[in-house]
């Protein structure tokens, strides 16, 4: 069985404190509004804790989602590595080695994300 399937780089930060208002707003946006596609954006200056908030939310919300994939866009190498890992975990591209397979794997993950109802 492919699901649940999670790719999250770090676990719960036991020293995370505060920001409950932001976490609640993210949860409301993603879970308690209509059934349409939802997006939550955390924005602000570098170093204010956006990544920590997002990580805290996804780690504490696993029970609400069948799949959570953390795809880093820090650079193109990390981006492709994360897409490849998601593709492998979903058994979309089990053995990917060359550049053309990487593009295909990324396309398969995007298609899965846009079409799955799970």
């Amino acid at each position: 069985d492919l699901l649940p399937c999670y790719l999250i780089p770090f676990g719960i930060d036991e020293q995370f404190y505060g920001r409950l208002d932001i976490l609640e707003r993210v949860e409301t946006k993603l879970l308690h509004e209509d059934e349409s596609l939802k997006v939550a954006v955390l924005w602000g200056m570098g170093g204010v804790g956006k990544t920590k908030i997002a990580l805290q939310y996804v780690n504490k919300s696993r029970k609400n989602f069948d799949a959570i994939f953390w795809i880093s866009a820090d650079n193109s190498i990390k981006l492709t590595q994360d897409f490849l890992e998601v593709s492998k975990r979903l058994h979309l591209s089990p053995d990917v080695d060359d550049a053309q397979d990487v593009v295909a794997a990324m396309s398969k993950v995007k298609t899965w994300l846009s079409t799955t109802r799970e």
Side-chain angles (χ1 to χ4, degrees):
D1 200 18
L2 300 177
L3 299 177
C5 185
Y6 306 109
L7 177 62
I8 305 169
F10 303 104
I12 292 175
D13 181 354
E14 298 298 336
Q15 296 184 5
F16 183 89
Y17 180 77
R19 307 289 181 92
L20 295 179
D21 58 326
I22 297 171
L23 292 170
E24 287 172 6
R25 289 195 334 238
V26 170
E27 182 170 316
T28 297
K29 179 69 176 167
L30 296 179
L31 293 180
H32 303 298
E33 293 184 3
D34 61 36
E35 293 296 317
S36 65
L37 176 66
K38 298 174 195 97
V39 176
V41 177
L42 298 173
W43 60 275
M45 295 181 354
V48 296
K50 300 177 298 291
T51 300
K52 288 201 177 281
I53 291 168
L55 283 168
Q56 194 72 2
Y57 179 77
V58 298
N59 276 297
K60 291 210 170 223
S61 299
R62 287 178 185 226
K63 66 187 178 302
N64 298 320
F65 300 97
D66 292 327
I68 299 173
F69 306 118
W70 188 277
I71 298 175
S72 177
D74 290 342
N75 59 61
S76 61
I77 294 170
K78 186 66 176 137
L79 181 75
T80 56
Q81 287 174 339
D82 287 349
F83 265 101
L84 285 172
E85 185 60 31
V86 171
S87 181
K88 289 176 185 177
R89 289 189 185 204
L90 293 173
H91 301 282
L92 300 174
S93 305
D95 295 312
V96 178
D97 290 324
D98 64 46
Q100 284 188 330
D101 288 341
V102 170
V103 173
M106 291 176 77
S107 179
K108 288 177 183 180
V109 170
K110 290 176 189 178
T111 299
W112 186 89
L113 289 170
S114 66
T115 60
T116 189
R117 288 288 180 210
E118 300 180 61

